[in-house]
Amino acid sequence: MNNVKAFGQFEERRGYVFRTSAYLQWGSSTKSLGAFLFLNPGRTELLTGALIGVGEVLFGEVKVDLMMEQKRKLVERIYGNEKLEGRVHLYYLFSLRNTIEQDPIDLFEVLAKLSDVPVIDAIPSMEELRTHPWICKCWGINSNPNWKQLSARKQEWTKQLEDAGIPMFGKPHRNGIDYFHILPHLKTTQQELLDDLVEIYRKEVQGSDGV
């Protein structure tokens, strides 16, 4: 990904792996260039291939995938020809990594009721959120009335972001709650979504159509 690297912190809890923090890094500055809010981290792994042991916490560079590339493209289009120095933070409605055996949302619904798991997914403070110039909401459009815990997380995140007053954007679904994922399954629509997000950013964050 050109000069961009991705980093993440992983934690084992109750036999499952959580990616508790992550960011994309341009150069060496720690200044925030923005942030994303996704559903969960998928199956991303440490570049070293290190295994997570019981109760272990590991931090390091993560493997680059198509998702990372799509994030990079959006950020670099947002900033245009500007030389980037800083990082883009990646947040999740829940940090449980995908498993092969179970649907991650169904599993999250179960784990969210356990006393020690919600601590991992504590929503960032308003002070932390205010360090970001913007946040892109792209947690996907899947919904199910049985996903009570996930619905509550969306509401909690939305309220915290609104209270923090951070500029937000995303391509909303017609249900008025969800936002399209940054990497659609259909390859033919991936560029179209990027174009839409850049336009929405210019209108809702910059306050103009970019002209």
Side-chain angles (χ1 to χ4, degrees):
M1 289 199 308
N2 298 331
N3 63 331
V4 183
K5 293 185 178 181
F7 296 88
Q9 179 171 293
F10 297 78
E11 180 175 343
E12 188 277 339
R13 190 75 68 93
R14 292 182 180 268
Y16 298 101
V17 176
F18 298 80
R19 192 168 82 181
T20 51
S21 68
Y23 59 87
L24 300 180
Q25 180 73 51
W26 282 260
S28 58
S29 173
T30 60
K31 175 185 176 182
S32 175
L33 300 172
F36 289 93
L37 178 55
F38 292 99
L39 176 69
N40 76 316
R43 291 198 181 97
T44 51
E45 300 176 349
L46 285 168
L47 192 61
T48 59
L51 298 177
I52 300 288
V54 176
E56 196 170 10
V57 177
L58 296 176
F59 173 84
E61 190 173 349
V62 300
K63 295 180 179 179
V64 170
D65 55 18
L66 292 176
M67 181 82 65
M68 297 289 188
E69 177 67 13
Q70 191 81 336
K71 297 168 194 172
R72 179 194 66 79
K73 288 179 180 178
L74 178 58
V75 173
E76 294 184 350
R77 285 192 59 183
I78 283 175
Y79 287 101
N81 295 325
E82 181 179 343
K83 177 176 172 55
L84 295 182
E85 274 284 338
R87 57 183 58 168
V88 170
H89 295 256
L90 312 179
Y91 294 116
Y92 307 97
L93 294 178
F94 63 93
S95 61
L96 174 69
R97 223 178 54 162
N98 282 10
T99 63
I100 297 175
E101 297 81 7
Q102 294 174 276
D103 177 90
I105 300 178
D106 289 337
L107 181 55
F108 165 73
E109 288 289 319
V110 175
L111 295 180
K113 298 175 184 178
L114 302 177
S115 60
D116 64 338
V117 172
V119 174
I120 295 178
D121 287 329
I123 295 177
S125 67
M126 286 191 286
E127 290 73 21
E128 177 179 336
L129 292 174
R130 287 169 181 158
T131 64
H132 307 308
W134 51 262
I135 186 165
C136 178
K137 295 185 285 186
C138 45
W139 60 59
I141 60 175
N142 293 329
S143 61
N144 186 317
N146 295 322
W147 292 339
K148 306 295 185 184
Q149 301 293 327
L150 181 61
S151 178
R153 291 295 294 177
K154 292 175 182 178
Q155 294 176 22
E156 291 165 1
W157 261 101
T158 299
K159 184 179 187 307
Q160 186 79 331
L161 289 170
E162 290 175 348
D163 289 347
I166 178 176
M168 298 177 283
F169 73 102
K171 185 174 181 178
H173 188 259
R174 60 179 177 271
N175 66 14
I177 299 173
D178 297 314
Y179 295 84
F180 283 88
H181 196 278
I182 193 173
L183 188 68
H185 291 302
L186 290 177
K187 189 173 182 179
T188 54
T189 64
Q190 292 173 7
Q191 183 61 47
E192 179 183 344
L193 182 60
L194 277 183
D195 293 341
D196 290 344
L197 286 173
V198 171
E199 181 179 358
I200 293 169
Y201 168 83
R202 288 174 178 165
K203 290 180 178 179
E204 298 187 4
V205 177
Q206 290 184 332
S208 71
D209 61 5
V211 177

